[in-house]
Amino acid sequence: MTRPLSKLAVVLPLLGLLLLITRAELALRANNGFRLAITGYDPRDLLGGHYLEYTYAFDWQGPSSCGSLGPDGHPASLDPACCVCLTRRGDDETPWARQVECGMVQGCDGWLRSAPLLPPSRYFVPEQHAATLEGLLRQRQASVEVTSSPDGEPALGELWLDGRPWRELVGP
Amino acid sequence: MALDRKLARWTEAGLISREQAESIRAFETGQGKTSLVYALAGLAGLAMAIGCVSIVAANWDVVPGRMKLGIDLCVMAVLGYGVVRLRERGPGWLADAASVVLYGLTLASIALVGQVYQLGGDPVAALGFWSLCTFPLMSLGQSRGIALIWLLGLQTTYGFALTKLDVLHTRFDGLALAATGFAPLGALLIGRSVRVRSRRPLLAVVAERLGWAEWLILASAGTLGFYDRPSAGDEPWFLVGSALSFAGVLWLARGLDASDPGARTSRWLLLGAWAAAYVPLSLPHGNIPLAAALSFIALWYLVALTAYRSGQRWTLNYATAAIGVRLLIVYFEVFGSLLDTGLGLVTGGLLTLLLIWLWSRRRRAFERGSQVLAAREVPK
């Protein structure tokens, strides 16, 4: 009785981990990646632990229909009950965005639920490069590769600074 | 040393023979050594588990992310194999230490997946997944240390989930506040469960002690509500949560043995602690420092009484100290206008005298009771 239970006890964490990895790999391979512009969340302190804290800087274009809207007709802020509809422009350009009801995302090139995009978002960075990256994030145009899972959850890829992967700028 | 002195005293008094004294000494020394080994092994396991989390947090850049995950999975598999073998062949302390390392490594690995794939980091989801995956692993633990680490891990997950409930909707502030009490009550329910007591007696002991300690801390903190109560206490959901916790208290009180004087007082302590934790937060009132002090002292008087009737000398001493410290704080609180200071000092002094009188009476009776108990417990 103890032996099968102790085997299950040690196999379960391994299986759980494999499940997480598989899910993350599938999300990354979804081939619907967008490069979204980002800015530091708190300009005084961009670094929280070993991650950069940022917020998405969407290029709002076209009519948004969900959440509170500003005088220009664009969302005043992200509403956790809504979704962000993305329209692709070019490979290196950030997409246009609209905030819409989550039931109205059929015509979008890609879509993300607004709730997981609420600031502050985090990008994990190596301990030894954290301070350098914090400085670079202040000086350069930053963007991050985002793919969307079928249920609108974002999966993050590479961090770009002035259109180049961050590792090229930081060096070894 | 204390044991040697007691054994010498009992031998001189003719209560036990020299052989019996030697047997008791050998038994107690052996018990102490085993407990020490388990405690040290648990500590080493915990240190290694925290070390794993720290290494992952450093996000070492030299090794590519997927290779890190591969190495991590291999280490987990080897450690898991070790746990299975050690559970079969022993020693038990090493099996428990390895389980604690695997427990921590699982959390670190979940964090590593989040780091490599930039999952953003929802701590509630990560902790919930961790608790779920490691439930059978930790349930097989054989020592008090592993039981404590597991229960604290589960409670941490629960605490984070409550903060999420708070963030989800401000309407649930009250429920989140009231549900804080579910953690100690849950531990007490585990500790009192007949099934757990028969299958995992050490887990039951640890859960019950942890539950009591947390329940009293919560109740003590609740008395501070007489100074300033949070607005969440006005919400209907707070009442719902309070009612649920009251139902839990009644359930626990029902299961206590009515023939045992200590257990009978425990019932009152459970109810009194519930009142101290929830009533100051739910009733509208102004700043009433005297009510805060009196409710705290009443609560710890119940603790002392329960300890006294159960023969728990250490708890009785702690309760006395808690009341003494609270009285000291009352003296500092009363300094204000001359009238306030005067009334406060007189009230504080009267309370102190009352307490000393009660204690001196109870203490003598307790000492007599302890001597009778000690004489009864000596092996024949």
Side-chain angles (χ1 to χ4, degrees), chain A residues 58-100:
Chain A
F58 285 108
D59 186 2
W60 299 114
Q61 297 287 341
S64 289
S65 56
C66 190
S68 59
L69 302 177
D72 53 358
H74 298 317
S77 61
L78 286 169
D79 188 310
C82 304
C83 284
V84 176
C85 171
L86 301 169
T87 306
R88 199 179 291 280
R89 289 196 291 165
D91 280 348
D92 292 336
E93 286 179 290
T94 55
W96 284 332
R98 290 183 299 130
Q99 188 161 246
V100 297

Side-chain angles (χ1 to χ4, degrees), chain B residues 286-355:
Chain B
N287 179 12
I288 324 171
L290 188 64
L294 287 177
S295 55
F296 183 94
I297 291 168
L299 170 74
W300 283 91
Y301 176 75
L302 271 175
V303 175
L305 196 62
T306 310
Y308 159 70
R309 289 193 172 160
S310 316
Q312 295 172 17
R313 184 188 289 264
W314 280 101
T315 312
L316 180 65
N317 289 342
Y318 282 129
T320 315
I323 293 172
V325 169
R326 190 63 184 89
L327 280 173
L328 200 67
I329 293 169
V330 171
Y331 279 106
F332 282 107
E333 281 176 341
V334 297
F335 294 118
S337 70
L338 280 174
L339 181 66
D340 287 347
T341 308
L343 288 174
L345 286 173
V346 169
T347 315
L350 280 172
L351 276 172
T352 313
L353 284 174
L354 179 71
L355 198 75

Side-chain angles (χ1 to χ4, degrees), chain B residues 160-207:
Chain B
F160 270 86
L162 281 188
T163 59
K164 181 97 171 180
L165 187 72
D166 195 14
V167 170
L168 265 182
H169 207 297
T170 47
R171 241 182 359 152
F172 293 139
D173 279 5
L175 185 59
L177 182 67
T180 315
F182 297 172
L185 288 177
L188 280 170
L189 282 170
I190 292 170
R192 301 296 310 168
S193 156
V194 178
R195 198 180 165 86
V196 178
R197 283 164 89 103
S198 64
R199 293 189 173 194
R200 295 273 184 270
L202 283 178
L203 172 66
V205 168
V206 172

Side-chain angles (χ1 to χ4, degrees), chain A residues 2-3 5-10 12-14 16-21 24-25 28-29 50 122-129 155-157 166-167, chain B residues 57-61 66 69 72-73 76-77 80 83-84 87-88 102 106 109-110 113-115 117-121 129 132-134 136-137 140:
Chain A
T2 312
R3 193 179 157 88
L5 191 61
S6 49
K7 276 185 179 167
L8 172 77
V10 299
L12 204 58
L14 269 171
L17 215 58
L18 283 169
L19 183 76
L20 283 182
I21 293 170
E25 282 289 341
L28 273 183
R29 283 155 210 258
H50 301 313
R122 291 170 175 180
Y123 193 90
F124 294 102
V125 293
E127 189 179 25
Q128 70 268 32
H129 297 313
L156 300 190
W166 69 269
R167 281 171 209 278
Chain B
N59 196 359
W60 196 34
D61 199 30
R66 287 187 176 90
L69 285 173
D72 180 68
L73 284 171
M76 279 187 73
V83 169
V84 174
R87 284 267 170 252
E88 283 168 11
L102 188 57
T106 306
S109 305
I110 292 169
V113 174
Q115 207 175 68
Y117 293 100
Q118 299 290 348
L119 296 179
F129 193 73
L132 198 70
C133 287
T134 52
L137 174 76
L140 290 175

Side-chain angles (χ1 to χ4, degrees), chain A residues 17-152:
Chain A
L17 215 58
L18 283 169
L19 183 76
L20 283 182
I21 293 170
T22 310
R23 189 167 166 262
E25 282 289 341
L26 287 176
L28 273 183
R29 283 155 210 258
N31 202 23
N32 61 350
F34 291 88
R35 202 181 295 174
L36 300 180
I38 60 169
T39 56
Y41 175 63
D42 182 350
R44 295 163 303 173
D45 185 16
L46 301 179
L47 200 63
H50 301 313
Y51 46 81
L52 298 172
E53 288 195 309
Y54 66 89
T55 180
Y56 290 96
F58 285 108
D59 186 2
W60 299 114
Q61 297 287 341
S64 289
S65 56
C66 190
S68 59
L69 302 177
D72 53 358
H74 298 317
S77 61
L78 286 169
D79 188 310
C82 304
C83 284
V84 176
C85 171
L86 301 169
T87 306
R88 199 179 291 280
R89 289 196 291 165
D91 280 348
D92 292 336
E93 286 179 290
T94 55
W96 284 332
R98 290 183 299 130
Q99 188 161 246
V100 297
E101 282 83 13
C102 291
M104 299 176 66
V105 292
Q106 290 85 358
C108 308
D109 292 333
W111 65 278
L112 297 161
R113 290 195 307 110
S114 296
L117 303 175
L118 288 172
S121 300
R122 291 170 175 180
Y123 193 90
F124 294 102
V125 293
E127 189 179 25
Q128 70 268 32
H129 297 313
T132 317
L133 265 170
E134 187 185 20
L136 286 172
L137 192 61
R138 287 180 205 280
Q139 300 155 6
R140 317 249 175 169
Q141 284 280 342
S143 58
V144 68
E145 196 82 33
V146 181
T147 52
S148 170
S149 71
D151 55 352

Side-chain angles (χ1 to χ4, degrees), chain B residues 198-237:
Chain B
S198 64
R199 293 189 173 194
R200 295 273 184 270
L202 283 178
L203 172 66
V205 168
V206 172
E208 190 167 8
R209 286 184 184 173
L210 181 71
W212 269 116
E214 290 176 339
W215 187 233
L216 292 176
I217 289 169
L218 188 81
S220 304
T223 62
L224 299 178
F226 280 116
Y227 292 102
D228 186 19
R229 54 191 283 272
S231 58
D234 291 327
E235 291 170 16
W237 280 107

Side-chain angles (χ1 to χ4, degrees), chain B residues 26-40 93:
Chain B
F27 175 75
E28 289 295 335
T29 313
Q31 286 286 97
K33 274 183 187 160
T34 314
S35 305
L36 186 68
V37 166
Y38 270 95
L40 287 176
W93 60 267

